[in-house]
Amino acid sequence: MNIFRYFGERVEAAVSGLVSEGVLPPGLDLSRITVEPPRDASHGDLSTNAAMVLAKPAGAKPRELADRIAAKLAGEEAVTEVTVAGPGFINLRLKPAFWLARIPDMLRAGDAYGASDLGTGEAVNVEYVSANPTGPMHVGHVRGAVFGDALANLLEKVGYRVCREYYINDAGGQIEVLARSAMLRYREALGETISIPEGLYPGDYLKPVGQALAATHGKTLLEMDEAEALKIARETAVEAMMELIRGDLAVLGITHEVFFSELSLHRSGAVEKTLKKLEDKGLIYVGVLEPPKGELPDDWEPRPQTLFRSTQFGDDTDRALKKSDGSWTYFAPDIAYHLDKFERGYRTLIDVWGADHSGYIKRMRAAIEGVTGGEAEFDVKVCQMVRLFRNGEPVRMSKRAGDFVTLRDVVDEVGKDVVRFMMLTRKNDAPLDFDFAKVMEQSRDNPVFYVQYAYARIHSVLRNAAETGSYDLSDAALANADLSCLRDEAEMALVRLMATFPRQVEQAALAHEPHRVAFYLDDLAAAFHALWNKGKDDHSLRFIQADDRDATLARLALIRAAARVIAAGLGILGVEPIEEMR
RNA sequence: GGUCCCGUAGCUCAACCGGAUAGAGCAACAGAUUUCUAAUCUGUCGGUUGCAGGUUCGAGUCCUGCCGGGAUCGCCA
């Protein structure tokens, strides 16, 4: 149960009661009414702005209207106290029994706790990673990968039908470089001594590709037309690189449903078809762009080019679709790609990009609006850079000579779960520092540990209970425990926080911000650790009470539910909970 | 120079797409805990939310202009 949604309905009922009594006019817009936890807990359990929002359109004074609504809400079964405060807030306090009744909800829901039908099965496409298939994934790709995956989990959790998608840039110039690099390795595999010139990929990961080419084709590639040979090398290399990348992603626990090839758009004629569509709408023309302001690129010269009228949709300048050699720019097939997603039935398109692509957002948004007639909702989530540290010292990386930290390096060193959690401890558009030492630290400082430790502590208690007493610790049994002895403020604080989880998940999903789940889990862990420590001070608050079976069962139900919530939250982040840490 | 992102406590960051007295952690200081795991907890100190206007009953949040940091800037992807 989402208590905020529930009371949102109760507030609406109170308002429509006032409408039928003639106190309020009919036809009021209720959409801006919110029911939230007040920022300051001393104000109560729930707070609504209904009176302030409705006052003006109803021609009423906010405080007076608040009093009328409050009087109606006071009759609610679960409510113990209603107050009107400040400019017209209505604050509700709920019966402890109402909060406690959420515990069996949680135990019965298990992993599904926090799930909802908010998305009503709507299809959403999340495109993330989409790293060029020119080598293994490096650390720069990790954040977007984790973010996109967690966002997909989050949207699924609240009832969207999510497609996780990867766009393979297998048609550009970098792929030509890859093909040439692979050819070189092929010669090497045939026994030639090679040196890798500047501009080609030097990494050892292309050696197996060269060997595979040699094994399959013998010396025949050397004898055929170079373009023909490069084509074969390219296909083999791209396939091998995608295998590499899929493996890297698997290490992070990421699986895409769709891998979409850029090349397929070229081959199928989808690019031409898409641009024809734009042309028919008068959105394409041949023209000369103004030179960019400020320092000019060295080789700049005015030149007529095929342009998309993205300025018509709010972009700063129109954008080139063809290179001077007549081939497509990156932009052209990308429009076709996004149209393809739309035509596959996705009305909500989410792209996860690195910060270095943020200058591309306006034109893509413009293109999608143009090509779909404004029918698609397009959101780009930009992930800022991750700065690597080792014991506070920045990790130096130079792209030359393959001297970069790979995704596998990081995961091998600290583990998948630590990487995933840490990547979500900052808002996506804020830079993130990742310190190899710090993320392994076992301290309050380290949120991964702190949350995992709360979960482990709970399981420690449960193990202890299983050994020392004859309790039925199944969720089904605990869900039937008499919870009335849970009265302490620390216990209630924990319960209230757990009960807000469904709302937190919904809000995070609507904002496309999975990091909120990570922050919530840190708060939840804090509430649990606080309760634990209170039991040190006051032994009557310990979870296991040898001489009080009812109290023990109630508390085991409480902490078991807390563990369930932590697991549900970690599940969204794609992190495995740990039952024992020693 | 244009565009986008960021600017919140000494430090690292939140703040639920406009709500009440802006919250956590770290650091500092003062305490608790001989444990259901002494990897934890409690308290104190700490703020003109970069600056100046505007919209609003109400602004860290929206708008405008500055200041500062980052990213990016016709054919890379």
Side-chain angles (χ1 to χ4, degrees):
Chain A
M1 172 189 220
N2 183 331
I3 51 174
F4 299 93
R5 221 197 258 184
Y6 172 76
F7 279 98
E9 288 162 12
R10 302 320 303 152
V11 168
E12 285 185 16
V15 169
S16 50
L18 291 173
V19 170
S20 58
E21 286 166 26
V23 176
L24 288 174
L28 287 169
D29 174 17
L30 305 184
S31 65
R32 286 178 58 222
I33 296 178
T34 59
V35 177
E36 302 177 332
R39 219 176 247 181
D40 186 339
S42 69
H43 291 139
D45 293 330
L46 301 175
S47 175
T48 179
N49 63 354
M52 291 179 293
V53 170
L54 298 179
K56 192 174 247 183
K61 288 183 181 165
R63 296 270 318 199
E64 283 173 17
L65 180 54
D67 286 333
R68 304 295 294 254
I69 297 171
K72 290 248 184 260
L73 292 173
E76 291 291 328
E77 167 65 23
V79 172
T80 55
E81 188 189 345
V82 185
T83 52
V84 173
F89 287 100
I90 301 167
N91 295 321
L92 305 180
R93 216 172 278 282
L94 306 182
K95 285 183 182 160
F98 182 82
W99 288 113
L100 293 174
R102 298 313 115 221
I103 291 176
D105 285 356
M106 298 168 202
L107 290 170
R108 295 196 180 104
D111 287 346
Y113 184 58
S116 74
D117 57 359
L118 183 74
T120 62
E122 188 199 324
V124 176
N125 188 288
V126 183
E127 182 211 325
Y128 58 110
V129 187
S130 299
N132 290 337
T134 55
M137 290 181 61
H138 59 84
V139 69
H141 298 120
V142 172
R143 190 175 185 184
V146 171
F147 176 89
D149 203 52
L151 176 57
N153 291 346
L154 180 60
L155 292 170
E156 261 173 1
K157 183 89 179 175
V158 300
Y160 292 93
R161 199 161 53 76
V162 178
C163 179
R164 296 143 205 267
E165 195 151 326
Y166 185 123
Y167 183 51
I168 309 170
N169 300 129
D170 53 1
Q174 291 181 20
I175 294 301
E176 283 313 301
V177 175
L178 176 74
R180 288 179 190 285
S181 307
M183 273 304 280
L184 212 53
R185 292 298 188 182
Y186 163 68
R187 289 171 182 280
E188 183 183 43
L190 290 177
E192 282 186 39
T193 307
I194 61 159
S195 69
I196 298 170
E198 187 83 8
L200 292 194
Y201 299 122
D204 286 346
Y205 53 83
L206 285 173
K207 282 184 180 171
V209 178
Q211 284 156 7
L213 285 168
T216 311
H217 300 279
K219 292 187 173 174
T220 55
L221 297 190
L222 296 175
E223 291 146 14
M224 66 176 66
D225 179 56
E226 196 196 5
E228 202 57 30
L230 278 172
K231 192 182 166 200
I232 291 168
R234 185 179 65 203
E235 280 171 8
T236 305
V238 167
E239 207 168 304
M241 293 305 101
M242 284 312 297
E243 268 317 297
L244 211 58
I245 287 170
R246 272 188 250 253
D248 286 349
L249 288 169
V251 157
L252 268 181
I254 294 172
T255 313
H256 290 79
E257 279 106 45
V258 174
F259 286 84
F260 196 102
S261 155
E262 177 189 349
L263 199 57
S264 73
L265 293 165
H266 295 261
R267 288 183 173 158
S268 70
V271 181
E272 282 84 356
K273 223 173 93 189
T274 303
L275 296 204
K276 177 76 169 51
K277 199 165 175 171
L278 289 172
E279 197 161 15
D280 290 346
K281 297 186 182 188
L283 294 173
I284 289 178
Y285 69 103
V286 175
V288 180
L289 285 179
E290 291 287 311
K293 298 269 167 68
E295 210 169 321
L296 285 180
D298 296 340
D299 58 347
W300 197 91
E301 54 184 79
R303 187 182 288 150
Q305 13 181 22
T306 306
L307 298 168
F308 168 65
R309 288 191 198 278
S310 51
T311 46
Q312 195 164 314
F313 305 96
D315 199 359
D316 315 295
T317 175
D318 292 335
R319 302 293 179 175
L321 295 165
K322 274 186 185 174
K323 301 181 192 174
S324 54
D325 67 1
S327 65
W328 300 117
T329 61
Y330 181 77
F331 186 36
D334 210 11
I335 301 173
Y337 173 48
H338 283 81
L339 176 60
D340 187 89
K341 293 192 219 180
F342 179 77
E343 287 175 342
R344 278 184 278 141
Y346 298 101
R347 291 296 170 274
T348 301
L349 307 178
I350 301 176
D351 285 9
V352 179
W353 294 354
D356 54 341
H357 286 56
S358 53
Y360 194 77
I361 295 175
K362 278 190 182 178
R363 82 189 64 170
M364 200 63 240
R365 181 180 304 286
I368 290 173
E369 194 180 337
V371 84
T372 67
E375 294 287 311
E377 191 189 318
F378 179 55
D379 190 15
V380 180
K381 303 302 285 187
V382 168
C383 286
Q384 282 290 342
M385 305 187 40
V386 176
R387 291 179 301 196
L388 283 188
F389 294 85
R390 202 174 277 286
N391 298 309
E393 291 296 312
V395 176
R396 306 223 172 271
M397 280 180 281
S398 89
K399 269 196 173 171
R400 273 179 309 220
D403 175 25
F404 49 76
V405 178
T406 65
L407 176 150
R408 271 177 201 267
D409 292 337
V410 183
V411 175
D412 285 349
E413 185 164 341
V414 305
K416 170 203 102 171
D417 288 337
V418 167
V419 172
R420 289 193 63 123
F421 196 106
M422 285 309 300
M423 288 299 144
L424 296 165
T425 53
R426 288 285 175 271
K427 222 171 2 187
N428 59 287
D429 54 10
L432 185 151
D433 291 348
F434 185 98
D435 190 313
F436 283 99
K438 226 169 189 175
V439 301
M440 296 306 280
E441 214 172 82
Q442 303 203 324
S443 74
R444 175 67 184 99
D445 238 358
N446 178 2
V448 196
F449 163 75
Y450 189 70
V451 171
Q452 291 282 26
Y453 185 45
Y455 189 85
R457 267 186 156 173
I458 290 171
H459 277 269
S460 172
V461 177
L462 294 172
R463 282 191 298 271
N464 207 291
E467 281 170 23
T468 59
S470 54
Y471 304 104
D472 184 348
L473 297 176
S474 69
D475 287 343
L478 291 175
N480 289 321
D482 175 6
L483 302 173
S484 56
C485 63
L486 298 177
R487 286 192 205 93
D488 187 80
E489 188 38 47
E491 291 170 334
M492 292 307 296
L494 180 59
V495 174
R496 282 194 295 264
L497 194 53
M498 294 192 299
T500 65
F501 181 68
R503 178 172 187 276
Q504 300 272 4
V505 171
E506 280 191 6
Q507 295 291 334
L510 288 172
H512 298 168
E513 289 185 350
H515 77 275
R516 293 191 194 186
V517 176
F519 280 93
Y520 169 82
L521 288 175
D522 194 83
D523 287 346
L524 185 61
F528 171 76
H529 287 306
L531 177 59
W532 172 287
N533 252 79
K534 220 169 166 182
K536 288 185 171 183
D537 217 24
D538 176 355
H539 285 214
S540 72
L541 282 175
R542 294 194 175 194
F543 304 121
I544 298 174
Q545 299 287 326
D547 56 350
D548 189 340
R549 194 175 172 81
D550 286 346
T552 302
L553 283 172
R555 287 175 185 161
L556 293 179
L558 168 66
I559 62 172
R560 178 65 180 163
R564 286 288 186 213
V565 179
I566 292 174
L570 288 176
I572 293 169
L573 308 185
V575 174
E576 299 285 334
I578 299 172
E579 293 192 1
E580 189 167 3
M581 302 172 97
R582 285 283 181 184

